[in-house]
Amino acid sequence: QQPDYGRGSHVLAMGRAKPKEHGDPKDKYFVGMPSGKVVVIEDVTTTGGSMIKNLDSLKQAGAEVVAVISLTNRMEKRDDGLSVQAAVQQRGITFYTMSSSLDVLPQVYRKIKPGEEIARAIETEFDEYGVQPLKLTT
């Protein structure tokens, strides 16, 4: 319902997994070069490696990324010890997440009751790789 909305007025850009070696340089990293203020939507963030590469590609292409929305954040530390959120924020970009494994896993555990052995294995995994401990058992 915006007065400036119409066919071709807004770009829904998609990042390329590998840069294109031929054709128009503006299409090297993206199908449809983003313009204006850009919000990146990522389905699942683990360490954010591919997303961070896309953010860097967007910056190199001159795009103004103002936010990242992660549908689910697995809440794991990266090799540099940072969370995905911290790595994105270091680039001056706001990071939002709609759900996290710290919220989802306890609910799933209570619902399906897979047993304490599985709970302890998940807790151990989070002790080593998680941004914070996860407690499933009492």
Side-chain angles (χ1 to χ4, degrees):
Q1 295 181 353
Q2 288 177 236
D4 64 340
Y5 181 80
R7 185 180 185 120
S9 64
H10 293 73
V11 176
L12 179 58
M14 303 216 26
R16 295 183 187 277
K18 288 173 51 176
K20 189 170 89 170
E21 299 297 326
H22 62 282
D24 193 332
K26 73 177 182 173
D27 294 330
K28 180 176 183 172
Y29 297 107
F30 305 97
V31 177
M33 182 59 196
S35 62
K37 293 183 179 186
V38 176
V39 175
V40 172
I41 301 172
E42 184 73 21
D43 56 353
V44 177
T45 52
T46 303
T47 61
S50 60
M51 181 187 60
I52 296 292
K53 287 180 187 175
N54 280 332
L55 293 174
D56 294 343
S57 295
L58 282 161
K59 182 177 180 179
Q60 181 182 357
E64 180 188 1
V65 180
V66 296
V68 168
I69 300 172
S70 169
L71 302 181
T72 301
N73 186 347
R74 289 185 50 175
M75 304 300 286
E76 291 184 22
K77 287 183 275 187
R78 299 159 33 93
D79 289 343
D80 59 9
L82 295 175
S83 67
V84 174
Q85 180 173 354
V88 170
Q89 289 174 332
Q90 276 187 343
R91 287 165 167 73
I93 301 169
T94 304
F95 181 86
Y96 299 99
T97 189
M98 296 179 74
S99 67
S100 85
S101 58
L102 296 174
D103 297 326
V104 173
L105 287 174
Q107 292 176 38
V108 171
Y109 180 78
R110 283 192 300 273
K111 182 171 179 132
I112 65 172
K113 299 176 176 95
E116 285 197 23
E117 184 178 339
I118 289 175
R120 292 195 200 296
I122 293 170
E123 291 169 349
T124 299
E125 178 89 5
F126 268 81
D127 285 343
E128 187 172 348
Y129 301 107
V131 297
Q132 68 185 60
L134 174 65
K135 189 74 174 150
L136 297 174
T137 58
T138 53

